[in-house]
Amino acid sequence: MSSPAGAPVTLLVHNAGPLVTVAGSHGSPAGGARQGAVGIVPDGAVAAAGERIVAVGTSAEVLRSVEVAPDAEVIDARGALVLPGFVDPHTHLVYAGERQHEFPRRLRGESYLDILAAGGGILATVEATRRADEATLAELTRSRLDVALAHGTTTMEIKSGYGLDTTSELKQLRAVRRAASGHAIDVVPTFMGAHAVPATAGRDADAYVELVIEEMIPAVAAERLARFCDVFCEHGVFSVEQSRRVLQAGVAAGLRPKLHADELAGGGGAELAAELRAVSADHLVHASEAGIAAMAAEGVLAVLLPGTTFALMGRDYAPARRMVEAGLPVALATDANPGSSPTESMQIILNLACLQLRLSPAEAVVAATLNAAHAVGMADTVGSLEVGKRADLVIYDAPDLDYLAYHYGTNLARRVVAGGRTAWTRTGAA
Ligand code: NIG
Ligand code: FE
C-alpha cells in the first residue's frame, strides 16, 4: 500500500478485480525486462483528494487508511479490471473533412503516397481544414476527444499539420487549445507544419522548410501554442537534412523534438532522432538495427502505431520485439487521422500490438500508459496509479488484462475517471 492520506478523500474506487498500477518505474521509461512490469494488486483500491491520488493499495488497506468525505464519489468496481487512463501520444485529431472516398481507391491498389502525389491524402485534408474556421475545427476536435475518452483515453497529444501555411497552422493549434479547454482529456499540443509540402509551394520542399523555420515556428512559440515540434521525415516528403533543420529551429524556440521516422521506407530517421536526442521517434516500421541501438543509447522512446500499418494494409509491422530486446522502451499510439489510421480507440491498438507487434498484454499496457506518458513529457503527473499523480483511471468490463487485450472491436470501458471525477460512464453502467 502506498501512502497515507491527510484530507478526506473525494474519490474512492475499491474492489478492483485486478488493479493494474504500472507503478514503480522511478521516473524513467520502462524498457527491456521492465517493459512488462505492470504491477498488479488483486483486490485493489485508489483514493484521491481532488485531482490527485492520495492512496493506492488493497481495498482493505486503503479503506483503513483514508477518511472518506461525506459527499465523496465511492465506486465499487465489483471485481472488474482497473487500469490507468490511456495516454495517446501521437494523434492528428484536429482536421476537417473525412477521407472515406479514398478507401475504395486504396482497396483497388493505389498506394498512400500515389494518392498524396495526385493531390489527395494529406493534401485533401489540408484543403478542407483551410476552409473550416477555428470554432468549427474546435467543435470537430471536441467530439473526437469525447469518443477517445469513452474508450479510456485521458491524456492525448494532438498535432497540427493540415494547415501548411502560417495562418492555418496557427488556426489549428488555437482550435486544439479551444477544444481542450474544460475537456476531461488532458491535451498536449504539437506543431507539425512540416507534415507535407503544400501544393501552393510548387513542390519546392526547401522553400517550404524556410517558411516553417522563419515564420511558423516563431509564431507558434510566441503564442505558446505547442510543446513539441514534429516532422514527417520520409523519402519523398522531408529529407533527413530538412528534418534536422526544422527540429533544430524548434529546439531553439523551446519546442522539444519528435519525428515521424522510417514509416514507409527506411531512411535514417531513427538515427536522426538519436542524434538530436528527440523525445520520441514514431512509426519506425523500417528502422535499421543501428538506428534502434542508437535510440536506446540516447534515451529516445519508440512510439509504435500498429493501427496505421493495419489500415494501410502493410505487410510489415514495426520490429517491436527487437526493440524490447535492445532495451528500447516502446510506447503505443493511435495516430488518429482521417487517412492512415481512422480510429480514436487505444483498445484496438492494444489488441493490434499483441497480435501484430507480438507484445504481451502486460508490455502493451505499459506502452499505452507509462511509456506513452514519457513520450509526451507528462510522466510526472500521468501514466500510472501512484500517490501524487492525477487520478485518471478506467474500469473495464473485463476480468483481467489478457481479456482486455484479446477481446477486440467493442468498447469494454465501463467508467472513465479523469482528474479525480467520473468523466464518462456507459449508459446504464453502475
Ligand atoms: O502519421 N505519416 C504522416 N502523417 C500521418 C497521416 C496523415 C494523413 O494521412 O492524413 C501518419 O500516418
Ligand atoms: Fe502521424
Side-chain angles (χ1 to χ4, degrees), residues 90 92 99 112 121-122 125 159 162 192 195 232 260 263-264 283 305 308 312 335 337-341:
H90 180 141
H92 305 256
R99 303 225 298 275
Y112 179 77
I122 295 175
T125 305
K159 303 171 197 299
Y162 292 122
M192 196 178 178
H195 190 197
F232 192 4
H260 284 60
E263 176 185 353
L264 304 164
H283 287 292
L305 311 162
T308 308
L312 292 181
D335 198 15
N337 75 72
S340 66
S341 189

PDB file of all heavy atoms in Angstrom, residues 90 92 99 112 121-122 125 159 162 192 195 232 260 263-264 283 305 308 312 335 337-341, ligand 1:
ATOM      1  N   HIS A  90       0.300  10.228 -29.882  1.00  0.00           N
ATOM      2  CA  HIS A  90       0.516  10.601 -31.292  1.00  0.00           C
ATOM      3  C   HIS A  90      -0.825  10.596 -32.013  1.00  0.00           C
ATOM      4  O   HIS A  90      -1.348   9.537 -32.351  1.00  0.00           O
ATOM      5  CB  HIS A  90       1.484   9.594 -31.939  1.00  0.00           C
ATOM      6  CG  HIS A  90       1.800   9.847 -33.386  1.00  0.00           C
ATOM      7  ND1 HIS A  90       3.073   9.671 -33.922  1.00  0.00           N
ATOM      8  CD2 HIS A  90       1.037  10.242 -34.439  1.00  0.00           C
ATOM      9  CE1 HIS A  90       3.065   9.942 -35.200  1.00  0.00           C
ATOM     10  NE2 HIS A  90       1.833  10.282 -35.559  1.00  0.00           N
ATOM     11  N   HIS A  92      -3.457  13.060 -34.897  1.00  0.00           N
ATOM     12  CA  HIS A  92      -3.680  14.214 -35.793  1.00  0.00           C
ATOM     13  C   HIS A  92      -5.185  14.539 -35.715  1.00  0.00           C
ATOM     14  O   HIS A  92      -5.891  14.485 -36.706  1.00  0.00           O
ATOM     15  CB  HIS A  92      -3.317  13.856 -37.226  1.00  0.00           C
ATOM     16  CG  HIS A  92      -1.919  13.326 -37.408  1.00  0.00           C
ATOM     17  ND1 HIS A  92      -0.891  14.085 -37.939  1.00  0.00           N
ATOM     18  CD2 HIS A  92      -1.363  12.108 -37.136  1.00  0.00           C
ATOM     19  CE1 HIS A  92       0.226  13.359 -38.006  1.00  0.00           C
ATOM     20  NE2 HIS A  92      -0.034  12.151 -37.520  1.00  0.00           N
ATOM     21  N   ARG A  99     -11.909  11.096 -45.209  1.00  0.00           N
ATOM     22  CA  ARG A  99     -11.335  10.623 -46.484  1.00  0.00           C
ATOM     23  C   ARG A  99     -11.796   9.208 -46.837  1.00  0.00           C
ATOM     24  O   ARG A  99     -11.059   8.450 -47.453  1.00  0.00           O
ATOM     25  CB  ARG A  99      -9.796  10.680 -46.411  1.00  0.00           C
ATOM     26  CG  ARG A  99      -9.243  12.071 -46.083  1.00  0.00           C
ATOM     27  CD  ARG A  99      -8.078  12.437 -46.962  1.00  0.00           C
ATOM     28  NE  ARG A  99      -6.947  11.560 -46.822  1.00  0.00           N
ATOM     29  CZ  ARG A  99      -5.992  11.677 -45.891  1.00  0.00           C
ATOM     30  NH1 ARG A  99      -6.038  12.663 -45.021  1.00  0.00           N
ATOM     31  NH2 ARG A  99      -4.999  10.839 -45.858  1.00  0.00           N
ATOM     32  N   TYR A 112      -0.782   4.862 -50.740  1.00  0.00           N
ATOM     33  CA  TYR A 112      -0.968   6.073 -49.938  1.00  0.00           C
ATOM     34  C   TYR A 112      -0.180   7.243 -50.541  1.00  0.00           C
ATOM     35  O   TYR A 112      -0.706   8.346 -50.695  1.00  0.00           O
ATOM     36  CB  TYR A 112      -0.497   5.743 -48.516  1.00  0.00           C
ATOM     37  CG  TYR A 112      -0.581   6.854 -47.528  1.00  0.00           C
ATOM     38  CD1 TYR A 112      -1.792   7.230 -46.962  1.00  0.00           C
ATOM     39  CD2 TYR A 112       0.571   7.536 -47.138  1.00  0.00           C
ATOM     40  CE1 TYR A 112      -1.865   8.253 -46.040  1.00  0.00           C
ATOM     41  CE2 TYR A 112       0.511   8.555 -46.212  1.00  0.00           C
ATOM     42  CZ  TYR A 112      -0.712   8.908 -45.660  1.00  0.00           C
ATOM     43  OH  TYR A 112      -0.762   9.931 -44.743  1.00  0.00           O
ATOM     44  N   GLY A 121      -4.974  12.501 -50.251  1.00  0.00           N
ATOM     45  CA  GLY A 121      -4.307  12.199 -48.983  1.00  0.00           C
ATOM     46  C   GLY A 121      -4.261  13.409 -48.067  1.00  0.00           C
ATOM     47  O   GLY A 121      -5.244  14.144 -47.930  1.00  0.00           O
ATOM     48  N   ILE A 122      -3.103  13.623 -47.465  1.00  0.00           N
ATOM     49  CA  ILE A 122      -2.937  14.742 -46.541  1.00  0.00           C
ATOM     50  C   ILE A 122      -3.381  16.045 -47.191  1.00  0.00           C
ATOM     51  O   ILE A 122      -4.024  16.887 -46.571  1.00  0.00           O
ATOM     52  CB  ILE A 122      -1.459  14.840 -46.082  1.00  0.00           C
ATOM     53  CG1 ILE A 122      -1.075  13.601 -45.259  1.00  0.00           C
ATOM     54  CG2 ILE A 122      -1.205  16.101 -45.275  1.00  0.00           C
ATOM     55  CD1 ILE A 122       0.402  13.538 -44.859  1.00  0.00           C
ATOM     56  N   THR A 125      -7.063  16.740 -47.011  1.00  0.00           N
ATOM     57  CA  THR A 125      -7.447  17.185 -45.666  1.00  0.00           C
ATOM     58  C   THR A 125      -7.017  18.631 -45.443  1.00  0.00           C
ATOM     59  O   THR A 125      -7.703  19.403 -44.775  1.00  0.00           O
ATOM     60  CB  THR A 125      -6.825  16.254 -44.598  1.00  0.00           C
ATOM     61  OG1 THR A 125      -7.212  14.910 -44.897  1.00  0.00           O
ATOM     62  CG2 THR A 125      -7.304  16.601 -43.207  1.00  0.00           C
ATOM     63  N   LYS A 159      -1.460  16.920 -33.011  1.00  0.00           N
ATOM     64  CA  LYS A 159      -0.550  17.664 -33.891  1.00  0.00           C
ATOM     65  C   LYS A 159      -1.317  18.544 -34.864  1.00  0.00           C
ATOM     66  O   LYS A 159      -2.382  18.152 -35.348  1.00  0.00           O
ATOM     67  CB  LYS A 159       0.267  16.686 -34.745  1.00  0.00           C
ATOM     68  CG  LYS A 159       1.058  15.673 -33.953  1.00  0.00           C
ATOM     69  CD  LYS A 159       1.646  14.615 -34.891  1.00  0.00           C
ATOM     70  CE  LYS A 159       2.093  13.374 -34.137  1.00  0.00           C
ATOM     71  NZ  LYS A 159       3.141  13.610 -33.150  1.00  0.00           N
ATOM     72  N   TYR A 162      -2.274  20.119 -40.924  1.00  0.00           N
ATOM     73  CA  TYR A 162      -3.204  20.133 -42.054  1.00  0.00           C
ATOM     74  C   TYR A 162      -3.516  21.587 -42.447  1.00  0.00           C
ATOM     75  O   TYR A 162      -4.546  21.860 -43.058  1.00  0.00           O
ATOM     76  CB  TYR A 162      -4.504  19.402 -41.708  1.00  0.00           C
ATOM     77  CG  TYR A 162      -4.365  17.911 -41.512  1.00  0.00           C
ATOM     78  CD1 TYR A 162      -4.741  17.314 -40.312  1.00  0.00           C
ATOM     79  CD2 TYR A 162      -3.886  17.093 -42.528  1.00  0.00           C
ATOM     80  CE1 TYR A 162      -4.646  15.948 -40.121  1.00  0.00           C
ATOM     81  CE2 TYR A 162      -3.776  15.721 -42.343  1.00  0.00           C
ATOM     82  CZ  TYR A 162      -4.151  15.155 -41.145  1.00  0.00           C
ATOM     83  OH  TYR A 162      -4.053  13.793 -40.968  1.00  0.00           O
ATOM     84  N   MET A 192       3.249  20.667 -36.210  1.00  0.00           N
ATOM     85  CA  MET A 192       3.788  19.816 -37.267  1.00  0.00           C
ATOM     86  C   MET A 192       3.578  20.466 -38.636  1.00  0.00           C
ATOM     87  O   MET A 192       3.002  19.856 -39.553  1.00  0.00           O
ATOM     88  CB  MET A 192       3.170  18.418 -37.216  1.00  0.00           C
ATOM     89  CG  MET A 192       3.974  17.421 -38.042  1.00  0.00           C
ATOM     90  SD  MET A 192       3.333  15.741 -37.972  1.00  0.00           S
ATOM     91  CE  MET A 192       4.489  14.930 -39.082  1.00  0.00           C
ATOM     92  N   HIS A 195       4.524  18.600 -42.264  1.00  0.00           N
ATOM     93  CA  HIS A 195       3.784  17.334 -42.393  1.00  0.00           C
ATOM     94  C   HIS A 195       3.736  16.921 -43.860  1.00  0.00           C
ATOM     95  O   HIS A 195       3.702  15.746 -44.199  1.00  0.00           O
ATOM     96  CB  HIS A 195       2.373  17.542 -41.830  1.00  0.00           C
ATOM     97  CG  HIS A 195       1.564  16.283 -41.673  1.00  0.00           C
ATOM     98  ND1 HIS A 195       0.208  16.292 -41.524  1.00  0.00           N
ATOM     99  CD2 HIS A 195       1.917  14.977 -41.643  1.00  0.00           C
ATOM    100  CE1 HIS A 195      -0.244  15.049 -41.408  1.00  0.00           C
ATOM    101  NE2 HIS A 195       0.774  14.237 -41.484  1.00  0.00           N
ATOM    102  N   PHE A 232       7.603  15.053 -40.738  1.00  0.00           N
ATOM    103  CA  PHE A 232       7.419  13.785 -41.457  1.00  0.00           C
ATOM    104  C   PHE A 232       8.706  13.526 -42.243  1.00  0.00           C
ATOM    105  O   PHE A 232       8.867  13.989 -43.367  1.00  0.00           O
ATOM    106  CB  PHE A 232       6.206  13.906 -42.381  1.00  0.00           C
ATOM    107  CG  PHE A 232       5.710  12.600 -42.984  1.00  0.00           C
ATOM    108  CD1 PHE A 232       6.264  11.368 -42.654  1.00  0.00           C
ATOM    109  CD2 PHE A 232       4.651  12.625 -43.886  1.00  0.00           C
ATOM    110  CE1 PHE A 232       5.781  10.184 -43.211  1.00  0.00           C
ATOM    111  CE2 PHE A 232       4.154  11.451 -44.450  1.00  0.00           C
ATOM    112  CZ  PHE A 232       4.726  10.230 -44.114  1.00  0.00           C
ATOM    113  N   HIS A 260       8.238  11.685 -37.190  1.00  0.00           N
ATOM    114  CA  HIS A 260       7.706  10.548 -37.936  1.00  0.00           C
ATOM    115  C   HIS A 260       8.903   9.992 -38.698  1.00  0.00           C
ATOM    116  O   HIS A 260       9.456  10.677 -39.566  1.00  0.00           O
ATOM    117  CB  HIS A 260       6.659  11.002 -38.946  1.00  0.00           C
ATOM    118  CG  HIS A 260       5.322  11.357 -38.366  1.00  0.00           C
ATOM    119  ND1 HIS A 260       5.143  12.342 -37.443  1.00  0.00           N
ATOM    120  CD2 HIS A 260       4.089  10.840 -38.620  1.00  0.00           C
ATOM    121  CE1 HIS A 260       3.854  12.413 -37.148  1.00  0.00           C
ATOM    122  NE2 HIS A 260       3.190  11.515 -37.852  1.00  0.00           N
ATOM    123  N   GLU A 263       8.726   5.344 -41.731  1.00  0.00           N
ATOM    124  CA  GLU A 263       7.385   4.743 -41.767  1.00  0.00           C
ATOM    125  C   GLU A 263       7.180   3.871 -43.009  1.00  0.00           C
ATOM    126  O   GLU A 263       6.827   2.703 -42.919  1.00  0.00           O
ATOM    127  CB  GLU A 263       6.297   5.827 -41.734  1.00  0.00           C
ATOM    128  CG  GLU A 263       4.898   5.235 -41.869  1.00  0.00           C
ATOM    129  CD  GLU A 263       3.779   6.266 -41.974  1.00  0.00           C
ATOM    130  OE1 GLU A 263       4.046   7.464 -41.817  1.00  0.00           O
ATOM    131  OE2 GLU A 263       2.641   5.842 -42.241  1.00  0.00           O
ATOM    132  N   LEU A 264       7.400   4.450 -44.172  1.00  0.00           N
ATOM    133  CA  LEU A 264       7.080   3.735 -45.416  1.00  0.00           C
ATOM    134  C   LEU A 264       8.329   3.101 -46.027  1.00  0.00           C
ATOM    135  O   LEU A 264       8.236   2.131 -46.775  1.00  0.00           O
ATOM    136  CB  LEU A 264       6.395   4.692 -46.401  1.00  0.00           C
ATOM    137  CG  LEU A 264       5.133   5.359 -45.809  1.00  0.00           C
ATOM    138  CD1 LEU A 264       4.694   6.559 -46.630  1.00  0.00           C
ATOM    139  CD2 LEU A 264       3.982   4.364 -45.666  1.00  0.00           C
ATOM    140  N   HIS A 283       6.489   5.562 -35.563  1.00  0.00           N
ATOM    141  CA  HIS A 283       6.306   4.646 -36.712  1.00  0.00           C
ATOM    142  C   HIS A 283       7.402   3.589 -36.717  1.00  0.00           C
ATOM    143  O   HIS A 283       7.190   2.481 -36.269  1.00  0.00           O
ATOM    144  CB  HIS A 283       6.242   5.357 -38.085  1.00  0.00           C
ATOM    145  CG  HIS A 283       4.980   6.097 -38.320  1.00  0.00           C
ATOM    146  ND1 HIS A 283       3.775   5.466 -38.489  1.00  0.00           N
ATOM    147  CD2 HIS A 283       4.724   7.427 -38.416  1.00  0.00           C
ATOM    148  CE1 HIS A 283       2.821   6.374 -38.675  1.00  0.00           C
ATOM    149  NE2 HIS A 283       3.363   7.577 -38.627  1.00  0.00           N
ATOM    150  N   LEU A 305       2.804   2.535 -33.997  1.00  0.00           N
ATOM    151  CA  LEU A 305       1.450   2.857 -34.437  1.00  0.00           C
ATOM    152  C   LEU A 305       0.899   1.720 -35.299  1.00  0.00           C
ATOM    153  O   LEU A 305       0.725   1.865 -36.515  1.00  0.00           O
ATOM    154  CB  LEU A 305       1.502   4.176 -35.242  1.00  0.00           C
ATOM    155  CG  LEU A 305       2.281   5.318 -34.563  1.00  0.00           C
ATOM    156  CD1 LEU A 305       2.662   6.414 -35.548  1.00  0.00           C
ATOM    157  CD2 LEU A 305       1.473   5.930 -33.444  1.00  0.00           C
ATOM    158  N   THR A 308      -1.878   2.105 -37.981  1.00  0.00           N
ATOM    159  CA  THR A 308      -1.553   2.690 -39.287  1.00  0.00           C
ATOM    160  C   THR A 308      -1.130   1.603 -40.260  1.00  0.00           C
ATOM    161  O   THR A 308      -1.588   1.581 -41.415  1.00  0.00           O
ATOM    162  CB  THR A 308      -0.435   3.729 -39.103  1.00  0.00           C
ATOM    163  OG1 THR A 308      -0.833   4.621 -38.073  1.00  0.00           O
ATOM    164  CG2 THR A 308      -0.167   4.492 -40.386  1.00  0.00           C
ATOM    165  N   LEU A 312      -3.308   0.725 -43.558  1.00  0.00           N
ATOM    166  CA  LEU A 312      -2.673   0.878 -44.873  1.00  0.00           C
ATOM    167  C   LEU A 312      -2.394  -0.492 -45.507  1.00  0.00           C
ATOM    168  O   LEU A 312      -1.755  -0.573 -46.549  1.00  0.00           O
ATOM    169  CB  LEU A 312      -1.377   1.693 -44.772  1.00  0.00           C
ATOM    170  CG  LEU A 312      -1.533   3.180 -44.403  1.00  0.00           C
ATOM    171  CD1 LEU A 312      -0.176   3.878 -44.361  1.00  0.00           C
ATOM    172  CD2 LEU A 312      -2.463   3.913 -45.363  1.00  0.00           C
ATOM    173  N   ASP A 335      -2.297   7.256 -33.666  1.00  0.00           N
ATOM    174  CA  ASP A 335      -2.049   8.016 -34.894  1.00  0.00           C
ATOM    175  C   ASP A 335      -3.369   8.531 -35.476  1.00  0.00           C
ATOM    176  O   ASP A 335      -3.450   8.775 -36.679  1.00  0.00           O
ATOM    177  CB  ASP A 335      -1.306   7.162 -35.941  1.00  0.00           C
ATOM    178  CG  ASP A 335      -0.655   7.996 -37.040  1.00  0.00           C
ATOM    179  OD1 ASP A 335      -0.520   9.218 -36.857  1.00  0.00           O
ATOM    180  OD2 ASP A 335      -0.290   7.425 -38.091  1.00  0.00           O
ATOM    181  N   ASN A 337      -6.125   9.824 -37.408  1.00  0.00           N
ATOM    182  CA  ASN A 337      -6.139  10.794 -38.507  1.00  0.00           C
ATOM    183  C   ASN A 337      -7.087  10.286 -39.582  1.00  0.00           C
ATOM    184  O   ASN A 337      -7.453   9.102 -39.575  1.00  0.00           O
ATOM    185  CB  ASN A 337      -4.709  11.022 -39.036  1.00  0.00           C
ATOM    186  CG  ASN A 337      -4.206   9.864 -39.882  1.00  0.00           C
ATOM    187  OD1 ASN A 337      -4.654   9.656 -41.009  1.00  0.00           O
ATOM    188  ND2 ASN A 337      -3.281   9.076 -39.348  1.00  0.00           N
ATOM    189  N   PRO A 338      -7.508  11.154 -40.502  1.00  0.00           N
ATOM    190  CA  PRO A 338      -8.552  10.734 -41.449  1.00  0.00           C
ATOM    191  C   PRO A 338      -8.040   9.870 -42.599  1.00  0.00           C
ATOM    192  O   PRO A 338      -8.839   9.372 -43.397  1.00  0.00           O
ATOM    193  CB  PRO A 338      -9.073  12.066 -41.995  1.00  0.00           C
ATOM    194  CG  PRO A 338      -7.915  12.997 -41.866  1.00  0.00           C
ATOM    195  CD  PRO A 338      -7.167  12.575 -40.632  1.00  0.00           C
ATOM    196  N   GLY A 339      -6.717   9.669 -42.683  1.00  0.00           N
ATOM    197  CA  GLY A 339      -6.199   8.908 -43.811  1.00  0.00           C
ATOM    198  C   GLY A 339      -5.654   7.552 -43.429  1.00  0.00           C
ATOM    199  O   GLY A 339      -6.219   6.510 -43.764  1.00  0.00           O
ATOM    200  N   SER A 340      -4.565   7.561 -42.683  1.00  0.00           N
ATOM    201  CA  SER A 340      -3.850   6.300 -42.460  1.00  0.00           C
ATOM    202  C   SER A 340      -4.244   5.577 -41.178  1.00  0.00           C
ATOM    203  O   SER A 340      -3.796   4.449 -40.954  1.00  0.00           O
ATOM    204  CB  SER A 340      -2.339   6.549 -42.458  1.00  0.00           C
ATOM    205  OG  SER A 340      -1.981   7.342 -41.352  1.00  0.00           O
ATOM    206  N   SER A 341      -5.075   6.201 -40.319  1.00  0.00           N
ATOM    207  CA  SER A 341      -5.474   5.494 -39.095  1.00  0.00           C
ATOM    208  C   SER A 341      -6.750   6.099 -38.513  1.00  0.00           C
ATOM    209  O   SER A 341      -6.707   6.827 -37.517  1.00  0.00           O
ATOM    210  CB  SER A 341      -4.349   5.531 -38.058  1.00  0.00           C
ATOM    211  OG  SER A 341      -4.680   4.679 -36.977  1.00  0.00           O
TER     212      SER A 341
HETATM  213  O1  NIG B   1       1.215   9.602 -39.196  1.00  0.00           O
HETATM  214  N1  NIG B   1       2.684   9.975 -41.788  1.00  0.00           N
HETATM  215  C1  NIG B   1       2.144  11.058 -41.936  1.00  0.00           C
HETATM  216  N2  NIG B   1       1.077  11.512 -41.330  1.00  0.00           N
HETATM  217  C2  NIG B   1       0.019  10.744 -40.828  1.00  0.00           C
HETATM  218  C3  NIG B   1      -1.038  10.534 -41.850  1.00  0.00           C
HETATM  219  C4  NIG B   1      -1.862  11.725 -42.057  1.00  0.00           C
HETATM  220  C5  NIG B   1      -2.919  11.554 -43.116  1.00  0.00           C
HETATM  221  O2  NIG B   1      -2.908  10.631 -43.930  1.00  0.00           O
HETATM  222  O3  NIG B   1      -3.799  12.431 -43.117  1.00  0.00           O
HETATM  223  C6  NIG B   1       0.566   9.484 -40.223  1.00  0.00           C
HETATM  224  O4  NIG B   1       0.342   8.379 -40.716  1.00  0.00           O
END
